[in-house]
Amino acid sequence: SYTSDAAAVTVPNYLRAISFPAPTLTYTYDGNEHTLLVPGEGYTVSGDTKATDAGDYTVTIKPRTGLTWSDGTEAEKTYKWSIRAADPARKFFTITPPDARTPYDGNVKSVNVALNSPYTGCGDITVEYKYSTTDLGSQEAVSAADVKNVGYYSYAIDIAGGKNFNSGKLEGGIFQITKADQSALNITSKNALPYGQSMTLTAEGGTTQNAIVWQLVDENGAAIESSEFASLENGVLTALK
């Protein structure tokens, strides 16, 4: 007879290897939601997997039970990713200036600028104006409250910058405030004026009655500097004969 001691045999625990994901780690803000990783075959994902605003984010991935990374390790891996702030550009904004030739009406004219949807976080928007009466080559800065007089105006748009946008300037444009057309001028007068009597000439319309210069003219429309028939002073007409 004989005896035999059975030998103990250890079977290795072979783990299936999976590759590391290789996501894009840097984006630029565009108003859209970005997703870094979704749970793939063989691993789980936790952390900041989705983001829209500019900033720095972190996600962690870990092999599922029974799996390993392609380098033989099983530890979780951390990815740092970011969305960078965008530089200001006209495509992000709606810019509404006055008409290229806008008649004077005494009111302030302005360039309206609005950040388009769904964009956010650009900071304060300021329109800067420059003015000249004729020559656009020699303009001077003017406050927004003074953009109302006849002349030429150029403008630029300053973006202060915020969470999602860097600071910067947008190229603007040019517009002109032109002289206004006067409304019809109607003069009230008598057809005949007896000797020694006076009448005050009145008018309606025009830019302002104070701008009217009263003058005696003959039947041909020529100015009469002095007359023995009538005198005219400050809009008061007096019959002398």
Side-chain angles (χ1 to χ4, degrees), residues 68-211:
T68 183
W69 297 120
S70 56
D71 64 358
T73 62
E74 300 177 51
E76 62 184 25
K77 305 291 183 183
T78 298
Y79 288 85
K80 294 186 180 297
W81 65 289
S82 64
I83 299 177
R84 298 178 299 190
D87 291 329
R90 291 182 73 95
K91 67 180 181 180
F92 296 116
F93 300 87
T94 295
I95 302 171
T96 309
D99 291 340
R101 290 176 57 84
T102 299
Y104 172 81
D105 62 5
N107 296 317
V108 171
K109 306 297 179 238
S110 61
V111 176
N112 296 316
V113 183
L115 183 63
N116 294 332
S117 178
Y119 309 117
T120 60
C122 73
D124 292 337
I125 301 172
T126 304
V127 181
E128 300 171 343
Y129 298 93
K130 290 186 176 181
Y131 166 79
S132 66
T133 55
T134 55
D135 184 10
L136 288 177
S138 58
Q139 290 191 306
E140 296 182 355
V142 64
S143 70
D146 290 327
V147 183
K148 59 183 178 180
N149 296 319
V150 171
Y152 296 83
Y153 296 86
S154 63
Y155 63 91
I157 301 159
D158 181 78
I159 307 300
K163 181 175 180 57
N164 294 321
F165 286 88
N166 297 316
S167 61
K169 287 186 181 294
L170 300 179
E171 183 180 353
I174 298 170
F175 62 92
Q176 179 185 7
I177 297 180
T178 60
K179 291 183 178 181
D181 293 331
Q182 294 191 33
S183 58
L185 180 64
N186 298 312
I187 299 175
T188 302
S189 64
K190 297 180 180 179
N191 291 328
L193 186 63
Y195 167 72
Q197 292 189 12
S198 300
M199 66 167 292
T200 300
L201 299 172
T202 59
E204 294 181 353
T207 301
T208 170
Q209 185 172 347
N210 293 333

Side-chain angles (χ1 to χ4, degrees), residues 23-55:
T24 299
L25 297 178
T26 303
Y27 298 88
T28 298
Y29 175 78
D30 60 4
N32 296 314
E33 183 180 72
H34 296 282
T35 301
L36 183 71
L37 288 169
V38 295
E41 182 180 354
Y43 60 83
T44 60
V45 181
S46 61
D48 305 317
T49 60
K50 297 181 179 182
T52 300
D53 291 335

